[in-house]
Amino acid sequence: MKFKNLSAPHLRTKDTTRQVMIDVLISLTPAIAVSTWVFGLRALYIMMFSMISAEVLDFFIVRVLKKQKNYKPDFSASVTGLLFGMNMSMAVHWWHMLIGIAFAIIVAKHAFGGLGQNIFNPAEIGRVFMLISFPTVMTTWYKPFANMSASVDTITTATPLALLKEYGANKSLSNFSYMDMFLGKIPGSIGEVSALALLIGFAYLVYKKRIKLMIPISIFSTVLIISSIFYFVNPTRFGTPLFHLLAGGMIIGALFMATDMVTSPMTIKGQIVFGIGIGVIALTIRYFGAYPEGVSFSIVIMNALVPLIDLWMKPRVFGTSKKGAK
Amino acid sequence: MGLLTFKGGVHPPHKKKFSENEAIKILPLPEKVYVYTAHSIGAPAKPIVEVGDKVKTGQKIAEAGGFISANLHSPVTGTVVEFTKLVNAASGLKSDVIVIEREGEDQWELLEKTDDHTKLKPEEIVARVKEAGIVGLGGAMFPSHVKLSIPKGKKAESLIINAAECEPYITIDYRMMLEKTSEVLKGIEIIMHTIGVEKAYVGIEDNKSKAISHMKEAVKNSSIEIVPLKTKYPQGAEKQLINAVTGKEVPSGGLPIDIGAVVFNVSTAYAIYDAIYNGKALVESGISLTGEGVKKPGNFWFRVGTKVSELLDYVGIIEEDKIDRVLYGGPMMGISLPDTELPTFKGNNAITVMTKDVAPNKETMPCIRCSSCVSVCPIGLQPYLMKKLADTRKYDDLTNNNLMDCIECGACSYTCPSGIDLTKSFKTAKKVVRAMKQRRG
């Protein structure tokens, strides 16, 4: 019998990149459900529109512009699109989103070489791009369970973080309880409001071993420690540690944006440094910056540092420590 | 208490069920044997017979070609009929083969033997092991007499017997422990006596609980200790095994003896016993013939140089178009054979016949930096980075990233969701780097 010459190992896991992406999409379904419940069907349309247009655009680029005839979608663009949609405000129009998605897929992803080559998380870049390009739209927040037929003035409101920035912690916490923030009954970006739903999805990814777990742990610990110090210094101006965990994009950012495999460090040590960096920068912007929220910016800034982190935070090679070399 | 193990690693399916309950059977003698003069490590042996010579089983037919090389003996009684060349599946190159045709039953030519090894000096044992052409039977085929000669200035502190058998499918070491218990233990005692250590540890993965309890019973009141290990691949890799058992790490670029460790495989211990007590040179050994493609998988006692096709005829294989590959060894580090008309080596502990439905057919996609390869690497390397450097031929950067420490275990390729052939690249790159070093002097 004749055989081809094949290389070891002759067994592989059933895991595929496509399956990783599908698992991420599955993990986001609880958040999609809660957002639809809180903001209505329009929220679902926004997320689906974003996801589908990102996938179609990606397919077009690879199939037509890069001429890969046999290309089968890997669903990475769907993940980007869905996360992008979840980071939108309810006030966004479809053409705003198309511009943002095009920027995310064309510039942030394919200009760098496509899947696996991008330095920045495309969804996060898309959101930052939107925040800078369409500031009014992106900071118009709808009340939870608002009656959409009413006038815009009566259904919009300020987010907990905006209230903290303007009026201090007392005002913010008198409008929203921690439980509201945990369940998602607060104004904010479509997909970020419910900490609970995001945590359930994240637990699924942890169970499936699809996530760099050390990143969120590191971000949350950093945020807790730093915000505790600031809370101790001035409780009314800086807000409680729990508030900073639950408000704004901290949870979605730490669980789903910072953990993007492509744009985060490879080693546990590197992931800890990355998480600390995100925590510090996000709180610095929240405390002292012009924006009430800083998670997106902090992730993008730390994305840029990943190559350096990977260079410095290498794993210890077996037999090279003082312990091994006598 | 958690079981002993090392850092990193993967959990491939065990697949031992095919053959683990099959007692070792002796295969009928082959009509013809094809003995490679080159075994995988060290210089090829130099033939000392000519075409037409009559040889007996166990008679020396080739002399070791250097210090790191092993003698060869005739696996059957018969006539040397031909010197030829056959592909060596490990290198893909053709190498010399001595062909012997069997005539009648075995007539053994035995080496000097003893009934009490403690009467022999360590040097005498080393000489006899060398004479018997014993090589490591775990797969790497490193000449055993070299390992038994402790270099000047070094001291052996612990003997570790590798019975992890972490490769899927393979069960021969497991059966050896159950069926040849006293012989294996005697072999271990011989090694202890030779290298001058007081204590030996037998590392067995905890998926072989029967072997653990059986061996524990057998070593009562002796200085041999059975160490249950966590079942994890590559637990049986020499450096990982030493790390699991002793907690020490073999220094990068160093040898186990640098930290006082000496490692022998279970079957090698048996071969040493067989040579010292029975005077038998290494011409036969145990093998698992297994895999989804084999009809009646089992464990066997085979003669070195028997053709793979002949071994497989004995166990029967399924329809050819369902078979994807036939391997020397197991699926994680095994070498795929270009065809089954090739003969066996001394160190072949398994022939695995894999069917198309279990063999990998993963589509290759771009690396998404998921970091699985980094977290499973037992050596702490960064396979994703090394692959990038290998693809762009940056061999100096690769060397700086500890390419030469790679043990080629295949854990990174096994786990990669993008189906990237990481291990294959590193094997090739290591060859290139070695060649470059030689040329630069």
Side-chain angles (χ1 to χ4, degrees):
Chain A
M1 279 188 284
K2 293 266 174 206
F3 301 103
K4 274 181 289 181
N5 185 19
L6 299 152
S7 178
H10 307 281
L11 274 180
R12 304 283 170 102
T13 55
K14 297 243 174 332
D15 283 354
T16 60
T17 295
R18 190 172 288 119
Q19 192 57 47
V20 171
M21 298 300 167
I22 291 172
D23 282 342
V24 175
L25 293 175
I26 292 172
S27 75
L28 289 167
T29 48
I32 296 174
V34 173
S35 308
T36 310
W37 171 60
V38 172
F39 295 115
L41 267 183
R42 202 177 112 80
L44 186 65
Y45 297 152
I46 290 177
M47 289 183 279
M48 291 305 118
F49 174 80
S50 173
M51 184 169 108
I52 292 163
S53 50
E55 190 63 53
V56 170
L57 183 59
D58 190 75
F59 189 78
F60 173 80
I61 291 173
V62 180
R63 214 33 203 274
V64 178
L65 300 185
K66 293 192 176 174
K67 299 195 173 96
Q68 288 181 17
K69 286 279 177 280
N70 307 321
Y71 173 75
K72 281 184 269 168
D74 51 43
F75 299 119
S76 62
S78 295
V79 172
T80 299
L82 181 56
L83 285 169
F84 178 87
M86 292 174 79
N87 273 295
M88 289 301 106
S89 138
M90 278 293 288
V92 69
H93 286 290
W94 64 270
W95 57 269
H96 291 136
M97 288 172 60
L98 274 191
I99 295 172
I101 288 164
F103 191 82
I105 298 288
I106 297 172
V107 178
K109 184 179 180 183
H110 284 293
F112 284 89
L115 178 64
Q117 304 288 317
N118 48 302
I119 294 171
F120 301 103
N121 180 340
E124 202 63 284
I125 280 284
R127 178 188 150 90
V128 168
F129 174 80
M130 295 289 279
L131 211 54
I132 297 167
S133 311
F134 311 110
T136 337
V137 180
M138 286 296 286
T139 52
T140 301
W141 307 108
Y142 284 26
K143 281 179 187 162
F145 311 109
N147 177 4
M148 291 297 168
S149 57
S151 79
V152 171
D153 291 338
T154 59
I155 61 170
T156 59
T157 182
T159 63
L161 277 171
L163 289 178
L164 176 76
K165 190 120 228 163
E166 290 286 320
Y167 308 105
N170 294 338
K171 168 77 176 166
S172 184
L173 279 172
S174 67
N175 280 23
F176 308 103
S177 72
Y178 286 126
M179 192 45 89
D180 288 343
M181 293 167 77
F182 185 66
L183 293 178
K185 298 197 277 186
I186 49 168
S189 297
I190 293 168
E192 77 182 17
V193 289
S194 174
L196 177 65
L198 292 166
L199 283 168
I200 291 170
F202 185 72
Y204 172 77
L205 286 186
V206 172
Y207 167 73
K208 285 269 184 174
K209 297 193 176 137
R210 296 285 192 228
I211 207 87
K212 295 175 176 173
L213 186 58
M214 205 36 89
I215 293 174
I217 294 176
S218 163
I219 295 177
F220 291 149
S221 325
T222 308
V223 168
L224 279 178
I225 292 167
I226 294 180
S227 58
S228 300
I229 297 168
F230 276 83
Y231 178 71
F232 187 72
V233 172
N234 187 343
T236 48
R237 182 173 164 207
F238 294 119
T240 65
L242 189 57
F243 177 86
H244 279 289
L245 275 193
L246 294 174
M250 189 60 79
I251 301 267
I252 194 175
L255 298 187
F256 291 99
M257 311 296 272
T259 51
D260 169 24
M261 291 173 170
V262 177
T263 58
S264 57
M266 299 293 270
T267 62
I268 300 285
K269 270 187 281 181
Q271 288 161 20
I272 293 172
V273 172
F274 182 72
I276 293 173
I278 289 173
V280 169
I281 297 169
L283 286 185
T284 308
I285 296 173
R286 278 187 182 183
Y287 289 150
F288 308 109
Y291 288 90
E293 170 65 305
V295 174
S296 302
F297 293 106
S298 69
I299 292 173
V300 168
I301 291 168
M302 288 310 291
N303 282 164
L305 295 180
V306 166
L308 282 181
I309 294 175
D310 276 340
L311 194 63
W312 291 333
M313 305 285 156
K314 289 181 179 179
R316 184 181 67 82
V317 173
F318 189 92
T320 55
S321 73
K322 282 170 204 146
K323 198 174 77 181
K326 358 150 230 188
Chain B
M1 193 193 85
L3 284 160
L4 296 173
T5 189
F6 61 98
K7 214 174 136 228
V10 292
H11 295 94
H14 303 166
K15 299 196 179 247
K16 308 242 185 208
K17 60 174 196 297
F18 297 107
S19 56
E20 67 185 351
N21 295 321
E22 299 295 324
I24 303 170
K25 292 191 201 102
I26 297 171
L27 289 177
L29 293 174
E31 291 308 315
K32 256 188 189 179
V33 288
Y34 304 76
V35 186
Y36 285 105
T37 58
H39 278 69
S40 74
I41 289 176
K46 295 190 192 85
I48 52 169
V49 287
E50 278 168 35
V51 173
D53 283 2
K54 298 266 178 208
V55 289
K56 287 181 177 176
T57 309
Q59 182 185 333
K60 203 196 299 183
I61 54 171
E63 288 264 7
F67 180 60
I68 302 183
S69 182
N71 291 336
L72 286 178
H73 303 79
S74 177
V76 291
T77 301
T79 312
V80 178
V81 290
E82 197 187 350
F83 287 87
T84 179
K85 279 179 185 290
L86 282 174
V87 170
N88 178 335
S91 62
L93 305 173
K94 287 201 165 183
S95 40
D96 294 324
V97 175
I98 304 171
V99 187
I100 301 165
E101 201 170 282
R102 182 173 69 89
E103 283 153 11
E105 289 307 302
D106 270 341
Q107 288 176 23
W108 278 87
E109 183 174 307
L110 295 176
L111 306 166
E112 222 179 326
K113 56 184 172 180
T114 179
D115 46 16
D116 183 5
H117 69 270
T118 54
K119 285 183 196 153
L120 296 175
K121 282 190 211 135
E123 307 86 77
E124 287 174 297
I125 294 178
V126 173
R128 289 188 187 194
V129 167
K130 184 178 180 188
E131 196 51 41
I134 296 171
V135 298
L137 299 180
M141 293 190 282
F142 190 78
S144 295
H145 66 269
V146 182
K147 269 194 182 178
L148 286 173
S149 336
I150 307 298
K152 273 205 181 97
K154 304 263 174 17
K155 191 180 176 323
E157 282 156 21
S158 47
L159 170 64
I160 298 164
I161 299 300
N162 191 349
E165 202 158 57
C166 59
E167 270 269 6
Y169 294 97
I170 308 178
T171 56
I172 187 66
D173 284 351
Y174 171 73
R175 293 310 307 184
M176 291 294 285
M177 286 188 280
L178 293 182
E179 296 178 42
K180 312 267 180 195
T181 322
S182 59
E183 292 90 337
V184 167
L185 292 177
K186 204 81 188 161
I188 297 173
E189 282 167 21
I190 299 170
I191 302 171
M192 289 167 70
H193 173 69
T194 313
I195 61 173
V197 296
E198 301 293 314
K199 191 123 181 121
Y201 305 89
V202 183
I204 311 174
E205 283 192 339
D206 67 335
N207 63 349
K208 298 165 198 77
S209 53
K210 232 164 109 184
I212 293 175
S213 53
H214 184 78
M215 289 287 279
K216 270 193 173 160
E217 193 59 37
V219 297
K220 269 186 186 165
N221 310 319
S222 83
S223 49
I224 300 171
E225 189 185 323
I226 306 302
V227 188
L229 305 168
K230 195 171 164 184
T231 303
K232 185 162 79 166
Y233 180 86
Q235 186 71 78
E238 194 170 64
K239 290 178 175 185
Q240 275 50 53
L241 181 72
I242 296 169
N243 184 224
V245 174
T246 68
K248 290 192 221 169
E249 292 184 7
V250 177
S252 163
L255 293 169
I257 192 65
D258 295 341
I259 54 165
V262 178
V263 181
F264 276 92
N265 170 272
V266 172
S267 295
T268 320
Y270 177 89
I272 290 173
Y273 156 83
D274 212 17
I276 301 296
Y277 276 81
N278 299 329
K280 284 188 176 177
L282 181 58
V283 297
E284 51 183 358
S285 181
I287 194 164
S288 297
L289 304 175
T290 179
E292 281 84 353
V294 168
K295 280 185 186 156
K296 281 188 248 157
N299 302 291
F300 301 91
W301 207 244
F302 78 107
R303 289 290 161 95
V304 173
T306 309
K307 271 192 179 178
V308 171
S309 57
E310 205 175 326
L311 294 177
L312 292 180
D313 280 347
Y314 195 77
V315 287
I317 46 174
I318 60 163
E319 303 94 278
E320 201 178 319
D321 57 334
K322 284 189 186 158
I323 293 171
D324 188 73
R325 54 190 93 186
V326 176
L327 311 172
Y328 279 149
M332 295 303 286
M333 291 186 79
I335 297 158
S336 83
L337 297 178
D339 64 74
T340 53
E341 293 308 308
L342 293 175
T344 42
F345 286 93
K346 289 177 182 176
N348 286 145
N349 55 359
I351 302 290
T352 310
V353 181
M354 295 187 73
T355 50
K356 283 182 176 144
D357 50 328
V358 292
N361 50 354
K362 238 189 222 182
E363 146 191 29
T364 308
M365 293 177 91
C367 168
I368 52 165
R369 293 172 45 90
C370 70
S371 80
S372 310
C373 58
V374 176
S375 58
V376 302
C377 179
I379 301 296
L381 304 177
Q382 302 179 86
Y384 79 98
L385 175 67
M386 289 161 56
K387 170 74 178 156
K388 227 185 265 178
L389 296 172
D391 288 349
T392 48
R393 299 183 189 175
K394 292 185 174 147
Y395 294 112
D396 288 336
D397 287 347
L398 253 176
T399 319
N400 291 335
N401 277 288
N402 299 75
L403 170 73
M404 299 319 270
D405 283 310
C406 171
I407 57 169
E408 304 174 16
C409 68
C412 50
S413 297
Y414 172 79
T415 196
C416 179
S418 292
I420 298 169
D421 263 330
L422 296 147
T423 318
K424 187 183 178 184
S425 285
F426 307 152
K427 280 183 195 167
T428 314
K430 279 169 85 172
K431 279 183 197 154
V432 174
V433 169
R434 280 199 198 104
M436 276 172 24
K437 236 183 218 160
Q438 247 169 17
R439 219 168 49 185
R440 286 176 191 173

